[in-house]
Structure formats: C-alpha cells, structure tokens
Amino acid sequence: MPRLEQVVGPEPLLLDSIAQVNQVFTEAFTDRYQRDGLSGVRVPPLNPAIWRFAIAAAGAGAMQWRDGSGQVIAFNLAHCCGSEGWMGPLAVRPGRQGRGIGSQIVEAGIRWLQESGARVIGLETMPRTVENIGFYSRLGFRPGYLTVSLTRELEHLPSGAEGAGLFSVGESASALSACRNLSDRVMPGLDFSREISLTREQRLGDTSLLPGPDGLAGFALWHSASLAEGKPDDEIRVLKLVVKDQTSFRAVIHAVEAAGWAHGARRVSVRCQTGFRDTYGALLELGYRVHWTDLRMTLDGTELAPRNGAVVFSNWEI
Ligand SMILES: CC(C)(COP(=O)(O)OP(=O)(O)OC[C@H]1O[C@@H](n2cnc3c(N)ncnc32)[C@H](O)[C@@H]1OP(=O)(O)O)[C@@H](O)C(=O)NCCC(=O)NCCS
C-alpha cells in the first residue's frame, strides 16, 4: 500500500453526500471504539437533520474527499464562529487510515479556518484514544482542559426553573444582535449568529435569553432534535452558552430547563469546559451528573479567555 494515497479533494460537502458521509462516520467511530476496547459499541448514524445543520453552519468549511472510484472516503467540517474556529466531526474510512489522508483533511481545515480569520483553532477528541491525541499533537495541537458533558433528568420542573421566563430569540433581529453584542463584549470577535439563526430556521431548537437590568445578561443556544438517527427527541442539548457572570450562569441554566420542560424534554445536557471550575461546581450543585468526557486541544495551545468573570461554553463537537 502506498503511504501517501492519491485522493480527490477537498470538495464542498453538499447535502446529497449525507448518506455516504454518515456511513463513513458510523464505520470510523465504531472501529475507533472497538480498537479502544469498547467492543460492544456500535456508533449509530447521525440524524440527517443534524448533518444538514452542521453542513450549513460550516458553509465552505464542510469538505469531503473521494477516491478514484468516486466513493467518499473522508470528511471534515470546519466551523468558524468569528474569532473561534473548530473542527468536527472528521473521519477517514477505516480501510484508508494510516496513509496520510487524516493529516491532509486536518491541514485543509486549519488552512480554511486561518483564512477565515479564526484566532483560536481547536477540536475535541476522546481522552482515552492515545492515537488521536498523538496524531493531533504531531499537527501542532496541544491538550487543554477536559470538556465534561453533564446531564440532568427532569422528572418535574426543577426548583429555580419555576420562575425562569421563557424568553427566546424567536424571529427577533434585535435579540439576535443582542446575542452577537454580548458574545463580542465578553470575547472579542466571537459570533454565534449563524448557529442561532440556522437552529431557528431548521426548527431544531431555540436560544433562551436571560434579560438583565442593563441589557442581555446571557443566552443559551439549544437543540431538541436528537443526535442519533431514529432516537426520540427527549433531551435538549446546550450547544452555545454565553453569560456575563456566575450568577447569570445559574439563571440561564434554569431558563434552559424551563424551556426544555415546556418543550416536553426530560433531560438537559450541557458540555462544560472545565477551565471554568466554578461553573463546573455550580452544575454539580444543581444536580447535574457526569455523563461523558472529551479532551479539548488547540493549535499551538492558543486559547481565548472571556473577560471579567464571563463564561462561554461552545460545543466543539456536533
Ligand atoms: C483520526 C483519523 C482522522 C486519522 O486519520 P489517518 O488517515 O489515519 O491519519 P494519518 O495517516 O494522516 O496520520 C496518522 C498519524 O498519527 C500518528 N500517530 C498514531 N498514533 C500515534 C501516537 N500514539 N503518538 C503519536 N503519533 C501517533 C501516526 O504516526 C501518523 O503520523 P505520521 O504520518 O507522521 O506517521 C482517523 O484515524 C479516523 O478517522 N479515526 C476514527 C474517527 C476519529 O477518531 N475521528 C477524530 C475524532 S476527534
């Protein structure tokens, strides 16, 4: 086998590739978990609605590679949220790994994010997968904090969430610009407007707002559409969360719980970047339980830190 295989790409990853890309996704991640000793795990295909969202959110950062016979053998979705750039999901078809294709797709993602103006470029990977950590490290990424996914079962509307107002971005252009202004204020250049608008347009969820005395104090973008194909929509997942301080953090979590409950969801899931130690502690105090871990890695170890006690959670996984 040649070490460096000839592949066609990057090409734009368009909606008509979803079935093929989903196949590469499920095969590559199932194989990965099996090699990590989780022999019974079968990673299901992702909900096509989630692919449509991720492809639209990534725009020209959604890329695929084909072999000589036209089969999709690799893909990478690079997302630029203003100053923040991240990649995922990305994978190479199992029979084609170890020949340099993975390096090509990650380098293409880095180039696209740099050209798009991202100041931090990162990704998240499985902490137990030493090959992935080694692979990304050779490409210039450095490990940071764990991202811990925490979930809370909603058997009833939690205390604290009863008084939370159900304010959401809805169709309001001024609410969208308030979210953009708050993000930019706490982390200059950060912009989640595209994800907020697409979520609403594609009816995948909404963005809960926390009004404050001097304007917007926080918001959380969440999806209620299930991640895996054919699974019930009984969980809401927070994708992005921006608050100006710790007090607003608890309040915005309650606003998400209230929105989830009203929506019929019975579980809330939050991906907590554990660099925010107090926030992690607050989630545990609120009754959240640890569900999953990912390792955050950034190019050259560069990170953006929010200003003055603000908190920013951004999902660097689909
Ligand atoms: C991760 C993945 C994209 C890599 O693709 P690939 O085509 O195998 O990657 P490449 O062949 O370009 O490079 C692999 C490199 O990792 C290096 N590597 C592997 N294990 C390593 C280790 N333990 N320490 C250091 N480097 C390691 C290899 O030596 C190789 O580097 P080299 O080209 O300099 O020799 C692919 O394995 C995959 O799709 N995995 C399943 C899905 C997945 O995990 N996606 C990423 C989720 S974050």
Side-chain angles (χ1 to χ4, degrees):
M1 276 302 166
R3 174 69 183 90
L4 276 173
E5 185 170 337
Q6 284 300 315
V7 290
V8 180
E11 297 177 335
L13 197 174
L14 304 174
L15 297 181
D16 56 10
S17 288
I18 287 176
Q20 278 199 63
V21 166
N22 223 351
Q23 185 70 25
V24 176
F25 171 87
T26 177
E27 281 176 18
F29 281 91
T30 299
D31 172 72
R32 179 68 265 168
Y33 285 120
Q34 288 183 351
R35 283 192 284 129
D36 284 342
L38 300 169
S39 52
V41 173
R42 167 120 192 95
V43 176
L46 286 174
N47 180 352
I50 298 295
W51 279 115
R52 287 193 286 276
F53 169 78
I55 291 168
M63 300 176 243
Q64 67 177 30
W65 286 259
R66 288 182 293 115
D67 65 8
S69 72
Q71 286 271 343
V72 174
I73 53 166
F75 64 89
N76 184 2
L77 272 72
H79 307 256
C80 187
C81 306
S83 49
E84 178 192 271
W86 61 278
M87 285 179 247
L90 65 95
V92 175
R93 194 179 277 274
R96 308 300 185 100
Q97 293 174 9
R99 304 181 205 171
I101 302 173
S103 307
Q104 275 188 55
I105 71 173
V106 172
E107 280 162 358
I110 294 174
R111 265 196 310 279
W112 187 80
L113 290 170
Q114 285 171 335
E115 285 163 13
S116 305
R119 282 190 285 121
V120 63
I121 294 178
L123 50 85
E124 285 180 358
T125 191
M126 295 80 87
R128 66 180 293 142
T129 308
V130 288
E131 284 95 344
N132 280 18
I133 296 171
F135 163 68
Y136 291 124
S137 298
R138 289 169 84 135
L139 294 170
F141 290 85
R142 294 293 172 262
Y145 288 100
L146 283 182
T147 293
V148 176
S149 300
L150 298 121
T151 57
R152 181 177 196 183
E153 302 297 323
L154 300 180
E155 278 144 21
H156 48 80
L157 185 59
S159 62
E162 292 118 346
L166 290 173
F167 302 104
S168 82
V169 164
E171 311 298 331
S172 160
S174 62
L176 182 63
S177 76
C179 292
R180 189 186 302 120
N181 292 341
L182 179 66
S183 308
D184 186 53
R185 205 163 65 239
V186 305
M187 212 184 248
L190 186 69
D191 187 1
F192 296 134
S193 307
R194 196 178 172 92
E195 286 76 7
I196 293 173
S197 301
L198 283 169
T199 293
R200 187 75 193 173
E201 280 162 37
Q202 299 188 354
R203 300 178 183 281
L204 299 172
D206 207 343
T207 301
S208 297
L209 303 177
L210 181 70
D214 323 309
L216 190 67
F219 68 87
L221 164 64
W222 49 266
H223 280 185
S224 55
S226 74
L227 206 47
E229 193 169 40
K231 287 275 164 29
D233 295 349
D234 58 355
E235 175 178 279
I236 66 171
R237 293 174 289 114
V238 174
L239 275 68
K240 312 286 179 195
L241 179 151
V242 178
V243 287
K244 67 182 181 60
D245 53 31
Q246 278 298 323
T247 315
S248 309
F249 176 76
R250 285 176 185 254
V252 94
I253 290 292
H254 287 318
V256 169
E257 291 167 343
W261 184 257
H263 212 82
R266 292 299 168 260
R267 192 176 319 109
V268 176
S269 168
V270 183
R271 296 169 61 88
C272 175
Q273 275 90 65
T274 53
F276 298 100
R277 285 171 185 277
D278 294 347
T279 317
Y280 179 69
L283 284 168
L284 291 173
E285 280 168 26
L286 288 169
Y288 282 75
R289 289 173 66 85
V290 173
H291 181 69
W292 190 252
T293 51
D294 288 289
L295 178 66
R296 185 162 271 218
M297 300 183 78
T298 56
L299 196 60
D300 308 322
T302 308
E303 303 228 22
L304 298 174
R307 292 177 167 164
N308 303 329
V311 176
V312 174
F313 286 174
S314 177
N315 66 314
W316 285 3
E317 276 285 354
I318 201 168

